[in-house]
Amino acid sequence: MRTSRRIGCVLVLLGTLAACSDAPAPSSTAIVIDNVTVIDAVAGARPGQRVVIDGDRILSVGPMTEPRPAASEVLDGGGRYLIPGLWDMHVHFLYEPALTGGMADQFLRYGVTSVRDTGGDLAQMVALRAGLEARAAAADGRPVPRLFFAGPLLDGRFVVYDGADPDQPPLGTAVPDVAAARATVQRLHAAGADFIKVYELVSPEVFTALTDEAHRLGMPVDAHVPLSMTADAAGPRTDSMEHLRNIELACASNWEALQHERLNRLQSFTEGRGYELRRDLHALQRLPAIAAYDEQRCDAVLERLASTVQVPTLRLNAVALVQPYERADWSEALAALPAAVRDRWQARADRMRAEYPVTDHTFAEWSLFLISRLLAHGVPIGAGTDTPIGLGIPGYSLHTELELLVRSGLEPLQALYAATVQPARYFGLKDLGEIRPGALADLVLLDADPLQDISNTRRISAVMAGGRWVDLDAPAWPAP
């Protein structure tokens, strides 16, 4: 990504143009992007367009033959490509505390103007969003990404992310029964959570209560497939599912035997950590389930998921196949992180280089394969990364996710849909994800065509969030 170019380098003041054109006198608000190829996943590619932004909205999009309106700034978009601001549908702002304070700016540097936080302490998430909104409203008007959050992972009597291990932050909370489920969802709704996130150790009864109460209150439901259920049973009750995890069991020819074994282990677990329970069940059953893949059975499962957005997080699932540190730009991206995180992540990358040549790639390959089956059944796909888990550099990792979606069978325009339109529709937002009159002005200007090569989404020239330009040179974290 080209972060050294400041937007001032490509702006032309309309007053300078007035001497050699019939352009109207400039206004104090409007911004014009001229002669740009507009690409969104609904209308496709439209070359030679003039885009006018006024305030935080797109005022008009049309051919260059139309008269240029009055404006305070004109950007020459010749040879460039304008796409909607990108989303990351799976983020944990609180997972790595040293990154929390700068993640918002880091996302913007990479063209990610909206994020969905899928699990973290409620009070901290409320405060984080309030701080971003206050910053955006301040006199200097610094842009911020749009932040949508769920609050804590809603888990069962045992909690996977209970905070007992310093390397596993306390992202979850126990929801042991139906009454607690309803009360928890009501509390999250009252606090301003945008959706709920259901985790893997809830019982079927609690799962049903959580999803029913959330939908009653108009909140979307995000979930892992609970270990006590199968994907085809749980999926239709949710609006999105994460990581493609536990679909492998439902797609196995011997799924009933595997599920019976799983239920027995869940019922016999009376003491210990939820993290270890979940880890051991996945280790025991994941690879045997994939080995027993039954296409006919899997087709029936995926038909049941036709209205449930899948967020594959291929960037994480396939890290054994596609290591981030092997990219030529990895070192530059890593260097932008705080020193303590940078050094720790570099040490981990060095360990992974030694370990991954002998790591089993079965689940990584399965995840890439399953995308083709999702596409065949029309299952909706959303782009998310699980940043910052697994060396997930905020913003940077979203572009890797897009590349892996295309590698797995999506066309570039479909990948853009997964990172723009699909997340907006998940929340019922009609004014995000497209470049059209009336839409919010979250935009990314690229130096190369992403439809020719999806990796060109990394070639960022300028970013706009809420109608304001982002300073791509400003560091996300202050120097020590």
Side-chain angles (χ1 to χ4, degrees):
M1 187 189 75
R2 298 168 58 183
T3 58
S4 61
R5 175 178 294 180
R6 295 181 183 273
I7 193 63
C9 297
V10 293
L11 285 174
V12 181
L13 291 179
L14 188 56
T16 304
L17 290 174
C20 56
S21 76
D22 296 326
S27 73
S28 61
T29 57
I31 298 171
V32 173
I33 305 175
D34 262 350
N35 199 31
V36 70
T37 297
V38 172
I39 298 174
D40 74 35
V42 174
R46 292 164 283 171
Q49 298 291 291
R50 170 176 289 139
V51 180
V52 181
I53 298 104
D54 199 359
D56 67 348
R57 299 272 173 175
I58 297 171
L59 186 63
S60 64
V61 181
M64 291 291 292
T65 53
E66 299 294 327
R68 179 193 292 143
S72 61
E73 297 174 345
V74 173
L75 173 65
D76 179 10
R80 297 188 176 94
Y81 302 82
L82 192 69
I83 63 172
L86 300 168
W87 285 69
D88 191 327
M89 282 193 77
H90 195 125
V91 167
H92 293 285
F93 264 88
L94 305 181
Y95 192 89
E96 181 74 70
L99 296 181
T100 300
M103 279 177 69
D105 288 316
Q106 181 78 351
F107 279 119
L108 290 178
R109 288 181 64 199
Y110 286 96
V112 177
T113 57
S114 296
V115 293
R116 189 182 71 149
D117 188 285
T118 53
D121 177 76
L122 178 62
Q124 292 185 66
M125 292 307 304
V126 169
L128 179 62
R129 181 160 66 187
L132 290 175
E133 291 174 348
R135 189 182 96 174
D140 64 0
R142 291 172 58 203
V144 299
R146 303 176 196 280
L147 172 58
F148 302 82
F149 66 83
L153 307 173
L154 305 181
D155 223 337
R157 184 163 65 94
F158 297 98
V159 176
V160 174
Y161 282 100
D162 59 6
D165 186 325
D167 292 331
Q168 300 153 11
L171 303 181
T173 191
V175 187
D177 54 45
V178 168
R182 295 186 180 123
T184 298
V185 175
Q186 291 165 13
R187 177 173 59 88
L188 292 172
H189 181 261
D194 302 289
F195 64 109
I196 68 166
K197 170 73 172 291
V198 187
Y199 218 55
E200 293 186 41
L201 296 182
V202 297
S203 68
E205 297 77 18
V206 168
F207 180 83
T208 298
L210 288 169
T211 57
D212 282 352
E213 189 65 15
H215 286 147
R216 185 184 72 81
L217 294 172
M219 301 174 76
V221 174
D222 177 39
H224 285 209
V225 178
L227 295 173
S228 59
M229 305 175 72
T230 56
D232 51 320
R237 300 191 65 89
T238 72
D239 302 286
S240 67
M241 289 166 46
E242 306 302 304
H243 308 302
L244 308 179
R245 189 174 293 160
N246 290 322
I247 295 178
E248 72 279 357
L249 183 145
C251 285
S253 59
N254 60 337
W255 68 272
E256 291 173 301
L258 290 170
Q259 186 66 6
H260 181 73
E261 177 185 36
R262 179 174 286 189
L263 291 173
N264 284 340
R265 286 179 173 265
L266 289 171
Q267 291 164 6
S268 63
F269 189 86
T270 58
E271 185 177 356
R273 291 193 59 220
Y275 185 91
E276 294 161 352
L277 172 61
R278 183 192 70 155
R279 178 199 63 198
D280 292 348
L281 276 171
H282 284 308
L284 175 69
Q285 293 189 317
R286 175 174 288 159
L287 298 186
I290 293 173
Y293 171 73
D294 182 320
E295 185 165 294
Q296 185 174 359
R297 165 65 187 169
C298 202
D299 286 347
V301 170
L302 297 183
E303 287 295 330
R304 296 274 294 161
L305 302 180
S307 298
T308 305
V309 179
Q310 299 299 311
V311 183
T313 62
L314 297 178
R315 190 281 311 172
L316 184 65
N317 286 18
V319 70
L321 287 174
V322 184
Q323 295 89 24
Y325 45 79
E326 298 296 345
R327 286 190 56 90
D329 58 357
W330 165 256
S331 296
E332 178 187 357
L334 186 66
L337 302 186
V341 176
R342 180 174 66 241
D343 294 345
R344 184 157 31 88
W345 285 21
Q346 184 60 63
R348 184 175 178 187
D350 292 340
R351 291 194 301 272
M352 290 165 67
R353 279 192 176 93
E355 296 169 358
Y356 275 9
V358 294
T359 298
D360 191 296
H361 293 171
T362 302
F363 184 63
E365 293 167 346
W366 155 263
S367 296
L368 299 179
F369 157 76
L370 193 58
I371 297 299
S372 65
R373 305 307 302 153
L374 298 180
L375 288 172
H377 289 274
V379 178
I381 295 171
T385 65
D386 217 0
T387 290
I389 296 173
L391 305 183
I393 297 176
Y396 174 93
S397 296
L398 190 277
H399 299 276
T400 302
E401 186 70 15
L402 296 179
E403 292 166 5
L404 287 169
L405 287 171
V406 170
R407 171 173 169 173
S408 301
L410 274 69
E411 295 294 331
L413 198 63
Q414 291 175 307
L416 289 177
Y417 189 100
T420 55
V421 179
Q422 191 66 73
R425 292 190 175 176
Y426 174 85
F427 286 112
L429 302 173
K430 298 180 180 180
D431 52 1
L432 278 174
E434 299 177 52
I435 302 178
R436 55 170 177 74
L440 287 161
D442 289 4
L443 303 166
V444 183
L445 189 65
L446 304 175
D447 284 332
D449 186 355
L451 302 187
Q452 293 297 315
D453 184 343
I454 194 63
S455 67
N456 286 333
T457 58
R458 297 180 186 269
R459 298 186 59 184
I460 295 174
S461 176
V463 176
M464 175 178 283
R468 288 174 288 185
W469 295 114
V470 175
D471 183 353
L472 298 181
D473 289 337
W477 292 274

